[in-house]
Amino acid sequence: MTPPDHPVRELTGLPAPAKLNLFLHITGRRADGYHLLQSVFMLVDWQDTIDLVLREDGQLSREDSGTRLALPDNDLCVRAADALRQATGCTLGAHIRLHKQIPAEAGMGGGSSDAATCLIGLNRLWHLGLARAELARIGLALGADVPFFIGGHNAWVEGVGEQLTPVHLPRRRFVVVKPPTGASTPKIFASPALKRDTKTATMQGFAADENAEAMLDMEKLFAHTRNDLQPVAQGLCPDIERCILWLFSQGLQGRMTGSGSAVFAPLPDAFDALAPLPEGWVARICSSLDAHPLTDWISG
Ligand code: C5P
């Protein structure tokens, strides 16, 4: 995109989409305690939006449109902005306004996506010109899921979340259900009951043909995979199993995304209406995205 003639002072309505993990296998643990995983991450159209307003006084501030309360310094958006300044020596500031839609503690990557959108947007607002790989490196220090959102495409993900291979996924609708309760991600990963030795697979093993770029076959994927975090998460948060059973009662096969507690199920084309939800649950019918809406904002 051509730079504007006059300095841009704010960028508004920047999207931060959520993700679903179509499966999540834990294949090992690194010496630093982080887990090696294999997963397919898929972008969906349930999204937060972010406004970035230039502050020339060098301050970073953040507001949530829902609460309008000042948030703590360890907020992931502020940390992303700070990490970007440290990496580049930039002395400009920003006011970050977050319009939160994605449920927290859902395993949908909401916080990581917000951080990624802040990195992408501030890279532009502050005229830093960092390429994708550099933004992803900064993002990884903020959270294992951040590089995926910087990457911009649905991906086969390995390592601790930083090794990304773009994959084509069939467009699909999903129902996503989030109970009011959740379980702590570090607690799930730290559980002695967690299965950490799932055999490593190759991406080609799931693809519709031998071409690595081929479209993954969703039904085949579900039949041969699982979320290794789910049994431990269900033990800590019984609502997760209730969500799975609620979906099952409507003929849908549910699976947890990430470390939960949201659960999702692919929808058959003919599916029209969901049963009434128990008190306190939220549910939404989402569609997969082919790419992050801001992917063209970064080079590389
Ligand atoms: O990186 P992120 O903040 O998303 O991770 C939250 C916690 O989940 C980490 O502190 C770590 O305990 C655990 N984790 C892990 N292996 C990963 C990702 C996360 O052990 N690949």
Side-chain angles (χ1 to χ4, degrees):
M1 206 183 264
T2 334
D5 296 337
H6 54 88
V8 172
R9 302 200 61 81
E10 63 177 61
L11 297 169
T12 55
L14 305 185
K19 56 90 174 162
L20 296 176
N21 294 95
L22 295 187
F23 70 91
L24 201 161
H25 291 173
I26 305 294
T27 57
R29 185 155 38 166
R30 294 196 316 201
D32 65 0
Y34 261 73
H35 290 76
L36 297 171
L37 52 91
Q38 288 192 310
S39 181
V40 168
F41 280 55
M42 184 188 67
L43 294 158
V44 290
D45 62 357
W46 194 341
Q47 60 189 31
D48 295 338
T49 51
I50 294 178
D51 304 331
L52 299 172
V53 184
L54 188 67
R55 284 186 66 154
E56 277 164 9
D57 61 1
Q59 298 294 306
L60 294 174
S61 50
R62 145 94 150 84
E63 167 195 338
D64 186 317
S65 67
T67 62
R68 301 206 174 273
L69 291 177
L71 285 136
D73 287 345
N74 65 2
D75 166 69
L76 209 51
C77 289
V78 173
R79 282 174 48 210
D82 210 29
L84 191 56
R85 292 200 308 189
Q86 282 186 24
T88 58
C90 173
T91 54
L92 293 168
H95 182 62
I96 303 167
R97 207 178 294 125
L98 177 63
H99 308 268
K100 198 79 197 150
Q101 300 286 332
I102 305 168
E105 297 194 324
M108 298 174 72
S112 300
S113 187
D114 296 341
T117 291
C118 285
L119 289 176
I120 296 168
L122 291 172
N123 189 42
R124 170 167 290 207
L125 189 72
W126 292 340
H127 298 284
L128 301 174
L130 296 191
R132 195 178 308 275
E134 184 60 15
L135 286 180
R137 192 191 60 75
I138 296 168
L140 181 59
L142 300 164
D145 292 345
V146 182
F148 162 70
F149 293 103
I150 303 277
H153 292 280
N154 296 321
W156 172 269
V157 177
E158 296 176 286
V160 297
E162 83 291 10
Q163 295 170 25
L164 308 169
T165 309
V167 289
H168 296 299
L169 298 173
R171 281 255 177 95
R172 197 69 192 252
R173 287 187 317 148
F174 296 84
V175 56
V176 184
V177 194
K178 168 74 177 77
T181 53
S184 130
T185 304
K187 210 165 164 182
I188 296 168
F189 274 107
S191 167
L194 179 65
K195 177 171 166 54
R196 299 182 165 88
D197 60 355
T198 292
K199 239 170 113 252
T200 52
T202 60
M203 191 176 110
Q204 286 82 355
F206 296 105
D209 66 35
E210 293 308 305
N211 178 352
E213 280 283 298
M215 188 177 270
L216 293 184
D217 177 330
M218 197 78 75
E219 268 64 36
K220 192 169 156 192
L221 198 69
F222 260 64
H224 292 96
T225 60
R226 65 199 162 272
N227 182 338
D228 281 335
L229 303 179
Q230 190 172 326
V232 174
Q234 280 182 191
L236 294 168
C237 174
D239 267 351
I240 294 168
E241 195 170 2
R242 282 187 203 114
C243 288
I244 301 275
L245 292 172
W246 182 80
L247 289 167
F248 187 73
S249 71
Q250 295 166 80
L252 300 171
Q253 189 196 350
R255 173 172 289 183
M256 193 178 84
T257 173
S259 56
S261 58
V263 161
F264 68 99
L267 284 179
D269 287 340
F271 200 88
D272 40 23
L274 291 168
L277 282 173
E279 176 83 25
W281 293 22
V282 284
R284 197 181 275 211
I285 291 178
C286 297
S287 295
S288 57
L289 299 175
D290 291 337
H292 193 293
L294 299 179
T295 190
D296 291 340
W297 280 34
I298 0 173
S299 60

